[in-house]
Amino acid sequence: MAAQAIPMASTAASEPTVDWDALATRARLARRTKATVLYAFLIAVSLPIILPYFWLVTIAFSAKTGVAETAVLWRSMAVVVPAVIAFWLSAALAQGRRQLWIGLTAVAAVAALAFAVLVGPDLHLGNFIFLWEPDFASVVRSRVGEVKGAVQFPNVWHAFGNSILIAGTQTVIVVTVASLAAYYLSRFQFPGRSSMLRSLLVLHAFPVLTLIVPMFLMLYWIGLLDTLSGVILVLVAFELPFAIFIMKGFFDAVPWDIEMSALTDGASRRQAFVSVVLPQVRNGILAIAVFTFIRGWEEYIFVFTFLIRNSNWTMSLYMYWVRDDVMGVDYGVVSAVGVFYLVPSLILYMAAQRYLMQMSIGGVKG
Amino acid sequence: MAKIEFRNVVKRFGTVEVIPDMNLVIEDGEFVALLGPSGCGKSTSLFMLAGIYLPSGGELLFDGHVVNEVEARDRNVGIVFQSYALYPHMSARDNILFPLRFKKTSRDQALARVKATAELVRVEELLDRRPSELSGGQQQRVALARALVKEPQLLLLDEPLSNLDASLRLSMRTEIKSLQEQLGVTTVLVTHDQIEATTMADRIICMRAGQIEQVGTPDDLYLRPSSLFVAGFIGSPPINLMAGEAAGGTVTVGGAIFPVEGASGSLTIGLRPEHLRFAETGFAGRIAQIEPMGREILYVVETGMGAIRVLEQGSSVAHSTGEQVNIDFHPENSLVFDTQRQKLITGAHVRAPD
Ligand SMILES: Nc1ncnc2c1ncn2[C@@H]1O[C@H](COP(=O)(O)OP(=O)(O)OP(=O)(O)O)[C@@H](O)[C@H]1O
Ligand SMILES: [Mg+2]
């Protein structure tokens, strides 16, 4: 007993000597180190992703026909890489919010100035010639004295419209069908329900490429080959299972009793669905809408296989042929088309980001 | 307002028979409580009334009309779910307004009614808030307002107080009760809390495994429970039940011999803790545990027939653990059940051993 009491007494005696300030400093230091390491890691892994996009944009706005030089690229890198590091340092070193804002603003100002001086003079919009000149391929080729054999490009706005049409229609169909199907799967018991659920996932596991030949034959026989609606149908078929699966998760998370409550409050099943259930799965609908749209926007394999006439080209085909035709001559134009192709997805993501961030697969927050 | 009737109502889920055969009449304007343990089919009965579940058999009548096939939305039933089931994306005002959307009420009239109902349940200050910005008790009142705003002919409350803290539960109990009296709406309250049932309802329907065990006033169920189940379910602290054999005018239970009147065979004696008292005579035991409960004191007494609970009025502990005591009771207060059939033997009583 006595032997046990001694160490207890000694800890009790040493307690008043604890240096709280030192402990706090150490904790603060540890926290800061952790944050710094984390940021360094995030920057290291995001650079290989961000750099190519950055190059794409730089090339699109600076490259000149027939000139294969990378000086602008290096000069812009010389601005961006230090700027990123300075951002990170000021974020890590700042004490408090005010300093952080001042630091970030200063870094941004310096970077903008350096960019304007080092890269600014080389920037131009000439590579976006395809936006106003449908036969830009011939124009670009003639600059280097190579006139023959240019591909007959459709107007880029036509390809843009086709892409919007495919992605948009597909999205509307997928969202509508997936919502209704998922609601039914989530709420009603019927023979074959569980096997249907299982097959939804299996369907998604199929590599779509394996089905391309039978799909081609089917489209040919029903006369939808080389039509936008054919491609839309194929895309819808491949996108639906996963969308249904995601939406089912969202519907499962909607409590059953608010729906019953709506029914006793005098709503019909349809009114209850629209006014009470749908608002609860808004984030899910938004998510599948965004993903489906982007999936349709970037679709390449199917449009490449099933669309032939150049009036049916989508942006991805347009991009492909631009690369095929003028890459050797003018990679500035190729990059510009790439940027143009990228912008709608980017805008869409940015607009929907706030909602997508709130989403966890299969449920709504709050 | 409506008179409700269950006639041989059956409810099956697939092959599981949840309610085998239910017969019940609820008078116009009456406040009844459906009381029973978890899973006994209380909510199921309620949902059949609301039109959410279709009865598998039998007839459900509102004012003498069979309503089995009538859609939920045409029944004019107000229901408060256990979870309140408020619409999360709507303000409290829109929640209360929701039932009026489907009626031919002008917007102004509807808003006026929302306001009046909100005042009735005292949530008029909270109308602009979302359900997530309301406390449990406030949500419950909004749910109540939503159920009342359509002036239902039948109000159904599915364990509306179970999510509230003890003091709020107490005040909501009186509030709901007085509201019901004021409006005179036929009300069915589902609960597994016997105090809730006994304090609020005019009549209690005690259910067990889909069957009605007993229907009666709170006093009926308390003083004259028709079965061992009801006796055990009603009353807190629970009744003392002792099984014994009767022969020649006495029941022998764990060494003690009780003179019995009007019964024989295998019997179970039921004695409520508050009907027992310490005395000079009676059966003997030793106090094992003392639990002061505010204005009452619960003694757990170790006796030859097991632990017996004795509830004494007063707040001062007059006995100590380990003390040897004798326990007496008034014969009128004793209940005698047939152990085999689990039923009360009316008119039978036991006396304490001398
Ligand atoms: N949709 C359903 N499918 C199958 N069985 C069900 C269904 N709903 C309820 N049951 C069963 O019916 C029985 C009664 O359920 P009910 O919800 O009416 O109980 P309860 O008395 O309200 O219980 P609690 O106090 O826990 O709410 C339970 O055994 C339950 O498992
Ligand atoms: Mg229930």
Side-chain angles (χ1 to χ4, degrees):
Chain A
M1 271 314 275
Q4 278 174 353
I6 290 164
M8 280 189 54
S10 76
T11 42
S14 70
E15 224 158 29
T17 67
V18 170
D19 187 348
W20 293 107
D21 290 338
L23 285 181
T25 318
R26 205 167 69 201
R28 214 178 302 131
L29 203 71
R31 224 177 303 131
R32 184 151 303 166
T33 318
K34 237 183 264 169
T36 314
V37 171
L38 183 69
Y39 276 115
F41 173 75
L42 289 180
I43 290 174
V45 296
S46 54
L47 268 186
I49 303 165
I50 293 174
L51 269 188
Y53 281 103
F54 178 70
W55 281 340
L56 177 75
V57 175
T58 315
I59 295 169
F61 285 98
S62 68
K64 296 193 177 66
T65 312
V67 186
E69 57 135 329
T70 47
V72 181
L73 219 52
W74 294 122
R75 267 184 273 140
S76 63
M77 289 282 290
V79 175
V80 166
V81 172
V84 169
I85 293 172
F87 260 118
W88 160 54
L89 276 180
S90 59
L93 295 179
Q95 317 255 0
R97 260 188 114 71
R98 232 176 90 78
Q99 277 192 18
L100 181 73
W101 281 115
I102 295 175
L104 294 188
T105 319
V107 171
V110 171
L113 190 71
F115 196 81
V117 172
L118 287 175
V119 188
D122 286 305
L123 296 183
H124 64 94
L125 289 174
N127 290 330
F128 288 86
I129 177 172
F130 62 91
L131 288 181
W132 57 85
E133 176 54 72
D135 195 23
F136 70 95
S138 309
V139 176
V140 170
R141 279 159 171 259
S142 68
R143 289 188 198 147
V144 291
E146 196 186 315
V147 193
K148 286 203 306 287
V151 172
Q152 263 304 298
F153 282 95
N155 191 325
V156 68
W157 294 106
H158 195 84
F160 188 86
N162 283 345
S163 270
I164 293 273
L165 198 68
I166 287 183
T169 316
Q170 182 226 23
T171 304
V172 170
I173 298 177
V174 165
V175 166
T176 315
V177 177
S179 304
L180 296 176
Y183 175 72
Y184 202 87
L185 278 171
S186 164
R187 285 295 193 265
F188 295 86
Q189 200 68 46
F190 54 90
R193 178 173 174 274
S194 59
S195 50
M196 181 157 178
L197 280 175
R198 231 170 294 128
S199 63
L200 278 182
L201 275 187
V202 174
L203 271 180
H204 196 69
F206 271 109
V208 288
L209 272 182
T210 56
L211 291 178
I212 207 142
V213 173
M215 291 303 256
F216 188 94
L217 290 175
M218 256 159 74
L219 285 183
Y220 174 71
W221 284 328
I222 57 181
L224 287 178
L225 199 63
D226 199 18
T227 62
L228 294 186
S229 27
V231 173
I232 290 171
L233 283 182
V234 172
L235 280 176
V236 164
F238 280 109
E239 283 305 295
L240 259 182
F242 197 60
I244 292 175
F245 202 76
I246 296 281
M247 281 314 294
K248 181 182 170 288
F250 276 90
F251 280 116
D252 284 347
V254 177
W256 162 104
D257 49 12
I258 63 169
E259 211 178 330
M260 293 307 153
S261 177
L263 292 184
T264 51
D265 277 348
S268 67
R269 265 217 106 98
R270 195 181 53 79
Q271 284 166 328
F273 177 70
V274 171
S275 56
V276 169
V277 180
L278 271 189
Q280 314 302 320
V281 298
R282 196 193 58 177
N283 282 352
I285 288 183
L286 204 82
I288 61 165
V290 169
F291 291 133
T292 311
F293 186 91
I294 290 195
R295 174 74 182 74
W297 181 255
E298 68 183 19
E299 175 49 39
Y300 173 65
I301 302 286
F302 291 137
V303 290
F304 184 73
T305 318
F306 301 145
L307 296 180
I308 298 151
R309 267 176 294 156
N310 80 356
S311 62
N312 275 342
W313 281 5
T314 60
M315 278 310 291
S316 53
L317 286 179
Y318 190 87
M319 177 91 225
Y320 170 83
W321 286 110
V322 170
R323 185 204 60 90
D324 201 57
D325 201 48
V326 294
M327 182 75 159
V329 182
D330 192 335
Y331 61 90
V333 173
V334 179
S335 302
V337 175
V339 169
F340 181 69
Y341 186 25
L342 195 67
V343 165
S345 323
L346 222 58
I347 291 176
L348 192 63
Y349 261 124
M350 263 156 24
Q353 188 200 34
R354 196 157 63 86
Y355 302 100
L356 294 182
M357 295 295 273
Q358 294 175 355
M359 183 191 93
S360 53
I361 292 292
V364 266
K365 257 178 57 173
Chain B
M1 313 303 127
K3 176 182 168 183
I4 309 299
E5 209 173 332
F6 285 82
R7 275 195 203 150
N8 306 102
V9 170
V10 182
K11 181 62 193 172
R12 278 181 290 266
F13 290 111
T15 54
V16 188
E17 195 159 83
V18 172
I19 292 177
D21 179 18
M22 188 159 175
N23 285 287
L24 179 67
V25 179
I26 302 168
E27 294 300 333
D28 190 4
E30 202 179 12
F31 192 141
V32 299
L34 271 181
L35 179 65
S38 192
C40 71
K42 305 180 300 281
S43 300
T44 306
S45 321
L46 208 64
F47 292 158
M48 283 195 287
L49 281 178
I52 294 170
Y53 290 161
L54 203 64
S56 317
E59 285 175 339
L60 205 60
L61 292 93
F62 283 16
D63 283 332
H65 304 287
V66 179
V67 295
N68 286 26
E69 307 276 317
V70 178
E71 297 253 15
R73 59 175 161 149
D74 299 323
R75 291 196 188 189
N76 197 20
V77 166
I79 179 163
V80 176
F81 288 82
Q82 178 169 355
S83 57
Y84 309 145
L86 294 175
Y87 311 125
H89 59 293
M90 295 182 196
S91 67
R93 177 179 288 103
D94 289 339
N95 263 284
I96 303 175
L97 195 60
F98 190 80
L100 299 181
R101 277 204 213 171
F102 308 102
K103 298 205 164 189
K104 288 183 190 67
T105 329
S106 77
R107 176 104 188 145
D108 289 340
Q109 244 178 326
L111 283 173
R113 250 164 85 182
V114 167
K115 192 156 169 292
T117 317
E119 273 163 18
L120 196 65
V121 298
R122 306 209 314 266
V123 291
E124 65 271 25
E125 310 283 313
L126 311 168
L127 285 179
D128 291 316
R129 299 208 202 154
R130 293 275 181 98
S132 57
E133 298 159 347
L134 296 172
S135 76
Q138 292 166 339
Q139 287 184 30
Q140 198 242 340
R141 278 185 242 185
V142 173
L144 197 58
R146 186 181 61 185
L148 290 175
V149 76
K150 55 187 158 184
E151 290 164 1
Q153 55 171 338
L154 174 62
L155 181 63
L156 305 174
L157 309 169
D158 192 357
E159 311 203 19
L161 306 179
S162 57
N163 289 344
L164 307 183
D165 68 45
S167 72
L168 196 55
R169 196 179 307 180
L170 203 71
S171 64
M172 283 312 296
R173 234 154 55 190
T174 22
E175 265 175 50
I176 292 180
K177 177 72 187 148
S178 65
L179 210 61
Q180 191 270 340
E181 273 166 8
Q182 194 182 327
L183 301 173
V185 54
T186 314
T187 304
V188 182
L189 168 80
V190 159
T191 178
H192 57 239
D193 178 351
Q194 43 130 346
I195 300 183
E196 223 167 272
T198 48
T199 50
M200 292 166 80
D202 303 327
R203 271 197 311 157
I204 297 177
I205 296 138
C206 192
M207 287 182 72
R208 177 199 197 178
Q211 262 158 342
I212 296 180
E213 283 277 315
Q214 188 175 3
V215 180
T217 62
D219 272 357
D220 284 341
L221 268 71
Y222 185 77
L223 298 174
R224 288 170 292 279
S226 67
S227 66
L228 275 172
F229 172 79
V230 178
F233 198 74
I234 305 266
S236 163
I239 193 168
N240 297 297
L241 293 173
M242 299 162 282
E245 287 300 321
T250 58
V251 201
T252 315
V253 188
I257 296 169
F258 295 84
V260 63
E261 263 171 42
S264 60
S266 287
L267 302 179
T268 301
I269 302 173
L271 293 168
R272 298 234 174 246
E274 53 273 45
H275 292 153
L276 298 177
R277 61 180 186 272
F278 298 122
E280 298 302 310
T281 59
F283 55 96
R286 191 181 63 85
I287 296 180
Q289 207 178 319
I290 301 178
E291 293 175 22
M293 299 177 24
R295 245 165 289 158
E296 290 148 348
I297 298 159
L298 177 67
Y299 296 92
V300 181
V301 182
E302 213 53 70
T303 68
M305 53 217 121
I308 296 290
R309 286 171 294 270
V310 179
L311 198 67
E312 279 221 321
Q313 300 293 323
S315 50
S316 58
V317 181
H319 303 270
S320 53
T321 36
E323 197 179 316
Q324 292 292 335
V325 288
N326 284 320
I327 299 170
D328 196 11
F329 57 89
H330 198 282
E332 281 295 307
N333 289 332
S334 65
L335 298 167
V336 180
F337 298 90
D338 182 323
T339 310
Q340 241 77 58
R341 286 170 41 241
Q342 306 260 307
K343 294 285 180 228
L344 182 76
I345 303 172
T346 36
H349 293 292
V350 292
R351 272 190 296 119
D354 298 316

